[in-house]
Amino acid sequence: MKARFRRALAAGLLTVLAVGGAGGWAAADGQRAVTGPPPGAAAWVADTTLGVRLPEPGRASAAEVAGFFDGLPPAQQRALAVRHPLVVGNLDGAPYRLRYLANSLALQEERQRELARAADPALPERDRKAAAARAARYAELGGRQILAFDPRGRGQYAEVFGELDRAGRTVVVVPGSDIDLMSGDRASAHYGTPGGAAEALRAASGERLAVVAWTGYTTPVKVGLDAAGSRLAEAGAARLSAFLDGLTPVTGPVTLVCHSYGTAVCGLADPKPEQVRGVVALGSPGMDVSGADALRVPLWVVKRNAEDWIDRVPNVSLFGLGHGADPDQPSYGARLVSSTGSHGHSGYLVPGTASLANTTAIALGEDARVDCAADSPACSAAVTR
């Protein structure tokens, strides 16, 4: 009966969206996924200054990129970052400190461009205000450890908290809907953002964890077809996998902490054991995989709290809508852990919650400290080994 109700509800949702046209939920949709090489890639490929062919963004593997930079003296590496900051700053496999430098330069360049737009009397006031806001944001990010920066669309970036080559363990936080370059560490529902989550995890670990707040894909906006479907998650999964290919030779396998729609990104990325130690899912609408055994790495799921609205989303996959079975159910086979003290969809990593303590323990590899949910034999078996 429950399964038939969910299928009917999903079909009804599809009808509402189709009939609604440009109104209702459909007005929240239409995000174009940012994919492909970063801006400036053509100029990078055409650069013959060093007398060698540069690795082609989007085609060269992270290992090939790393090998190329290993063969260059520091002065030549720096010169490439200065000439092509947006490319080097987003080139998976390039030395991470060189990417910090490149992205600081790219942020400066983009800030000047936005300041010019903000002062252009030919532009509508709304556009000038938006440009000024972006310029202020670029200035704010300029002094931080930015591992990726792409100004296209709503903007994407990745920020590192801690030292990647010194921390014993590393976490990559993958966000859900309504997160972009401007909102990646917003004050509202702060611990539901990747930046806020990174701060909480690092503090809870006693700064033993390095954490990457990865706002590296085009997220859905509000509730609509984008959020109900997997198109943006598929594009994000490809970007996440490439990012991990460049990161994990430095850090070793990481823990993915994935929130809401981001859990579908993590599921579709099909992380490899050499990249990822395990996945922690919070507030998941479904991961677009059939169950925990469909993943090649351990899956931990933070038990949904009673105030999380995601519980009302039907766990189906029908007519291209929905993200499949509910990871919060014991039948999914995930290791379910307690979320005591958390409130609402964005409250799982608030300091003082069991969900933050459990996620931190998992990331540190301290499974014995994990507080399993009562109905999770998979968790109990993992913790008592």
Side-chain angles (χ1 to χ4, degrees):
M1 178 68 73
K2 187 176 182 181
R4 286 201 301 273
F5 171 76
R6 285 178 167 171
R7 286 196 295 270
L9 184 57
L13 172 61
L14 176 64
T15 302
V16 168
L17 292 169
V19 172
W25 285 8
D29 294 327
Q31 297 299 302
R32 179 176 295 179
V34 171
T35 58
W44 162 271
V45 171
D47 189 337
T48 58
T49 306
L50 299 183
V52 296
R53 186 173 183 177
L54 304 184
E56 187 170 350
R59 293 195 177 182
S61 69
E64 290 169 336
V65 170
F68 168 79
F69 278 99
D70 283 345
L72 296 180
Q76 289 185 345
Q77 292 184 11
R78 184 181 178 91
L80 285 175
V82 170
R83 286 201 301 276
H84 307 282
L86 274 174
V87 174
V88 175
N90 292 286
L91 200 55
D92 295 315
Y96 74 92
R97 293 191 185 278
L98 188 68
R99 291 177 68 172
Y100 292 166
L101 169 64
N103 285 315
S104 71
L105 297 172
L107 283 160
Q108 291 175 28
E109 290 184 3
E110 291 300 316
R111 178 173 180 266
Q112 292 304 314
R113 185 172 290 110
E114 293 297 337
L115 285 173
R117 286 175 52 80
D120 185 352
L123 291 177
E125 182 179 4
R126 180 182 63 182
D127 292 349
R128 285 186 276 120
K129 285 184 176 180
R134 288 176 78 90
R137 178 62 167 161
Y138 295 160
E140 184 180 70
L141 294 174
R144 287 146 66 166
Q145 295 184 147
I146 304 301
L147 191 57
F149 164 62
D150 191 332
R152 293 177 295 174
R154 288 158 45 215
Q156 301 176 9
Y157 76 112
E159 181 175 3
V160 176
F161 295 74
E163 296 296 330
L164 292 176
D165 59 351
R166 296 179 190 172
R169 298 286 187 107
T170 300
V171 170
V172 175
V173 178
V174 179
S177 298
D178 298 309
I179 297 293
D180 53 34
L181 185 141
M182 298 295 289
S183 62
D185 56 1
R186 68 191 177 209
S188 174
H190 181 61
Y191 294 109
T193 70
E199 292 171 7
L201 287 162
R202 184 150 163 76
S205 73
E207 299 192 346
R208 288 183 289 163
L209 290 173
V211 187
V212 182
W214 185 77
T215 305
Y217 78 107
T218 304
T219 67
V221 173
K222 299 182 181 178
V223 179
L225 284 174
D226 280 348
S230 301
R231 177 179 59 88
L232 296 180
E234 290 167 355
R239 291 177 73 85
L240 177 60
S241 184
F243 179 79
L244 294 174
D245 281 340
L247 178 68
T248 52
V250 176
T251 63
V254 304
T255 299
L256 291 179
V257 174
C258 315
H259 180 240
S260 194
Y261 189 84
T263 64
V265 175
C266 292
L268 290 168
D270 189 22
K272 299 170 284 190
E274 56 267 33
Q275 292 177 323
V276 173
R277 297 178 187 274
V279 174
V280 181
L282 309 101
S284 178
M287 299 184 66
D288 281 309
V289 293
S290 58
D293 59 358
L295 294 177
R296 292 182 278 180
V297 299
L299 173 63
W300 304 79
V301 173
V302 173
K303 194 70 178 170
R304 191 177 299 128
N305 68 56
E307 299 165 30
D308 189 345
W309 60 263
I310 206 74
D311 186 51
R312 299 193 293 273
V313 173
N315 293 107
V316 297
S317 182
L318 185 68
F319 304 131
L321 292 177
H323 300 288
D326 186 358
D328 194 71
Q329 296 301 311
S331 58
Y332 199 80
R335 303 169 180 183
L336 300 176
V337 304
S338 171
S339 63
T340 301
S342 68
H343 300 280
H345 189 57
S346 298
Y348 291 103
L349 297 180
V350 171
T353 60
S355 35
L356 173 60
N358 284 325
T359 302
T360 304
I362 293 163
L364 289 170
E366 299 174 353
D367 294 359
R369 291 177 47 215
V370 172
D371 180 17
C372 293
D375 56 351
S376 181
C379 180
S380 298
V383 168
T384 56
R385 277 183 197 143

